[in-house]
Amino acid sequence: MWRNYGASADSFYQVRPECADDVPETKFRIKVGKTLSSRRWHAAFTPEGYLDIGKILSRVCRGGIHPSIRGEVWEFLLGCYDSKSTFEEREQLRQRRRVQYAALKEECRGMFPLIGSGRFISAPVITEDGDPILDPIVLQELNAAKEPTSVGQVGPSNGFELVKEHDKKVIQWKLSLHQIGLDVIRTDRTLVFYEKQENLSKLWDILAVYAWFDKEVSYCQGMSDLCSPMIILLDDEADGFWCFERMMKRLRKNFRATGNSVGVEAQLSNLASITQVIDPKLHQHLETLGGGNYVFAFRMLMVMFRREFSFADSLYLWEMMWSLEYDPELFFLYEEDPDLTAEKSGRAKVKSIRQYGKYERENMRSGGKDAEAPLPISVFLVASVLKDKSAKLTEARGLDEVVKILNNITGNLDARKACSSAMKLHKQYLKKVVKQRRVLWSSCDILSEHNDNIISLLAKKV
């Protein structure tokens, strides 16, 4: 199992030979005693299936997860399963979710039969008014899906006709299908995995079903980059869907659009506030250049550094972030099943702080956990990159130079060092914020005391 120790994880995510020179070199190495192994992973479970997640978190932060078990570990880190559940309980939940996904997919197939056909489209199929677009490429795919299969059965689109649609929700969903297709074609195309049509269509299916499942967010560019690793790591399509859905629970606010704004703008505002505290000189310079809204960092937050790291390094970065942020109540925070919510109320609270990720523990100690919206570690990751490049950025004469400097970091970042820097900045930021609050409270107390004295004097005169 460990014959590849010391080798790059790229051996598990093969790159097409003709693209080898275009992808960043992977820095992540699988190391004995540091990387979470299959043996150590399975040893963390009791005979009944209860997982001691505390044993896992520090190991993941120290050396990542071996690619052979990465998918199943991610399911816990993302809150798909409760660490205090049994093997039997998780298997029952897995089967229920697979049935639920099959029903969702069948519902989508009823509206557009290429779902689940092994094919996908990248051309528009409908106008905003609901009129069908008879694009030759779309018609060709639909006709191909009607052809008899290898066992002589007719494909799912038999008898389907493109007609005017009146349901606004269906129109909105169908409008997203071609954009999903365009992004699928571009997503991780340097990997051998996506040379197969079936894997491209699987990615399209999951994203199309999610767009219908979460109608408020639907589909936005960047989601394909987040979903791609899920179907590579998890063989079952339904398992990949629910893993992606849990990731989106964390990130959907970034993609949600309200009026003329996008949710990620709130994170950019948080980034500006952090930089103003930890590097006021840089913040002032960026504001002078007209970049005080920090839009140049948009991509890093939206696709979680997928462009700045190699494929394997980005996975390593993600799992470290999730381990640092891990909350043992995550599963119940995300579940909407009333039976499971009732079960939670009868469970004892987590007693050991060791079951929480290191970043989460810092928030708990500082009171940050009680804040209305605790800042995710991803914002501090971006802040650490800006601080690391502060000398160059403060010399930039325009925003185009800022963008160029940040583009040049691709392939030159170390995931573990980036997380370590983010943790240090987080601690530094919390200390400064707490200090500023104390100064503010002290000023308020002095002002209040001063006002009381004035009122007392006036009362005496009266």
Side-chain angles (χ1 to χ4, degrees):
M1 181 187 300
W2 297 100
R3 61 184 180 278
N4 288 326
Y5 260 127
S8 167
D10 284 340
S11 57
F12 291 88
Y13 315 111
Q14 294 183 345
V15 174
R16 294 159 58 185
E18 65 273 22
C19 302
D21 294 334
D22 301 326
V23 297
E25 181 184 354
T26 295
K27 293 178 172 59
F28 172 63
R29 294 290 185 273
I30 304 170
K31 297 179 181 178
V32 177
K34 291 188 176 181
T35 303
L36 177 63
S37 67
S38 176
R39 180 187 62 79
R40 190 173 287 271
W41 166 245
H42 291 110
F45 290 90
T46 67
E48 298 79 17
Y50 301 115
L51 171 64
D52 185 351
I53 194 72
K55 288 183 177 180
I56 302 304
L57 300 178
S58 58
R59 174 72 60 168
V60 175
C61 291
R62 196 157 58 241
I65 303 169
H66 192 277
S68 63
I69 57 169
R70 183 166 262 151
E72 56 185 290
V73 179
W74 277 23
E75 288 181 303
F76 282 90
L77 295 180
L78 286 169
C80 293
Y81 299 110
D82 178 21
S83 62
K84 295 307 176 186
S85 60
T86 65
F87 289 127
E88 183 179 356
E89 288 169 341
R90 288 195 293 276
E91 184 57 29
Q92 290 175 354
L93 181 56
R94 185 184 297 275
Q95 294 306 321
R96 286 202 302 271
R97 284 178 176 161
R98 288 178 178 178
V99 170
Q100 185 181 355
Y101 177 71
L104 283 167
K105 191 173 180 180
E106 188 61 33
E107 185 180 358
C108 292
R109 181 159 41 212
M111 295 182 288
F112 195 73
L114 282 188
I115 304 291
S117 70
R119 297 176 177 276
F120 67 95
I121 51 98
S122 57
V125 299
I126 198 170
T127 67
E128 293 185 358
D129 296 324
D131 295 313
I133 298 176
L134 304 179
D135 187 281
I137 297 176
V138 175
L139 295 175
Q140 180 182 342
E141 291 297 327
L142 285 170
N143 288 330
K146 291 181 183 179
E147 295 176 359
T149 64
S150 57
V151 291
Q153 297 176 334
V154 178
S157 63
N158 186 37
F160 178 83
E161 294 182 6
L162 292 173
V163 296
K164 184 176 179 64
E165 182 59 63
H166 299 282
D167 189 319
K168 291 183 179 179
K169 291 181 180 179
V170 177
I171 292 172
Q172 191 63 38
W173 178 71
K174 286 187 176 182
L175 285 170
S176 72
L177 295 181
H178 84 282
Q179 184 59 59
I180 295 174
L182 289 172
D183 291 346
V184 162
I185 293 171
R186 295 189 287 254
T187 302
D188 291 326
R189 290 317 305 273
T190 59
L191 298 179
V192 172
F193 182 84
Y194 284 114
E195 288 184 330
K196 294 182 178 180
Q197 170 78 14
E198 62 187 89
N199 292 330
L200 291 169
S201 62
K202 184 188 291 188
L203 180 58
W204 186 72
D205 283 346
I206 288 179
L207 292 169
V209 172
Y210 182 82
W212 180 250
F213 174 78
D214 187 352
K215 298 178 184 64
E216 183 183 8
V217 172
S218 186
Y219 175 80
C220 300
Q221 285 186 286
M223 288 185 184
S224 60
D225 293 288
L226 302 176
C227 184
S228 173
M230 307 304 174
I231 69 168
I232 293 176
L233 299 179
L234 294 160
D235 293 332
D236 189 278
E237 184 179 318
D239 296 345
F241 172 84
W242 291 114
C243 206
F244 172 65
E245 186 267 343
R246 287 304 157 109
M247 187 179 189
M248 286 302 299
K249 290 274 191 185
R250 294 168 174 258
L251 303 174
R252 69 187 299 274
K253 287 183 180 179
N254 287 352
F255 292 93
R256 189 166 54 195
T258 54
N260 296 323
S261 64
V262 182
V264 74
E265 290 177 11
Q267 299 291 10
L268 294 173
S269 178
N270 290 330
L271 176 61
S273 299
I274 292 169
T275 306
Q276 187 174 17
V277 170
I278 61 176
D279 196 339
K281 182 180 177 182
L282 172 61
H283 177 75
Q284 181 60 48
H285 182 67
L286 292 172
E287 281 201 323
T288 301
L289 296 179
N293 55 10
Y294 284 66
V295 173
F296 51 81
F298 179 89
R299 188 182 72 183
M300 284 187 275
L301 288 172
M302 286 295 279
V303 297
M304 300 285 285
F305 290 89
R306 279 299 315 273
R307 300 288 191 277
E308 285 69 34
F309 290 90
S310 70
F311 182 80
D313 280 343
S314 64
L315 304 192
Y316 178 36
L317 177 72
W318 287 4
E319 61 204 22
M320 281 194 292
M321 291 167 60
W322 299 334
S323 295
L324 290 166
E325 290 181 316
Y326 186 77
D327 182 339
E329 298 298 316
L330 198 60
F331 170 77
F332 291 101
L333 289 172
Y334 289 163
E335 278 298 317
E336 297 174 359
D337 189 328
D339 293 333
L340 291 172
T341 304
E343 177 189 331
K344 179 197 173 184
S345 64
R347 294 166 72 241
K349 289 188 176 181
V350 179
K351 295 180 180 179
S352 175
I353 198 169
R354 191 174 61 87
Q355 303 295 311
Y356 291 84
K358 188 176 180 180
Y359 182 85
E360 191 70 6
R361 295 200 298 267
E362 290 289 340
N363 276 329
M364 293 169 71
R365 290 191 189 102
S366 68
K369 183 69 177 174
D370 298 327
E372 187 174 328
L375 298 178
I377 194 172
S378 56
V379 180
F380 287 95
L381 272 165
V382 179
S384 71
V385 170
L386 297 181
K387 187 167 179 61
D388 183 58
K389 300 296 178 184
S390 181
K392 290 184 177 180
L393 290 171
T394 50
E395 293 178 357
R397 298 180 179 179
L399 287 180
D400 54 338
E401 284 190 38
V402 171
V403 173
K404 184 178 180 180
I405 291 168
L406 294 178
N407 284 341
N408 287 338
I409 68 174
T410 300
N412 296 316
L413 292 176
D414 183 284
R416 189 178 178 191
K417 288 180 180 178
C419 273
S420 178
S421 297
M423 287 295 292
K424 289 177 181 177
L425 280 187
H426 177 241
K427 185 177 290 188
Q428 180 184 345
Y429 175 75
L430 289 178
K431 285 182 179 179
K432 288 190 175 183
V433 168
V434 169
K435 186 177 180 180
Q436 288 174 354
R437 285 175 181 169
R438 286 174 180 169
V439 171
L440 180 61
W441 291 336
S442 178
S443 300
C444 289
D445 289 340
I446 293 172
L447 182 61
S448 176
E449 185 179 346
H450 179 67
N451 289 338
D452 288 342
N453 290 336
I454 292 176
I455 292 172
S456 178
L457 288 171
L458 289 173
K460 288 179 180 179
K461 288 183 180 181
V462 171

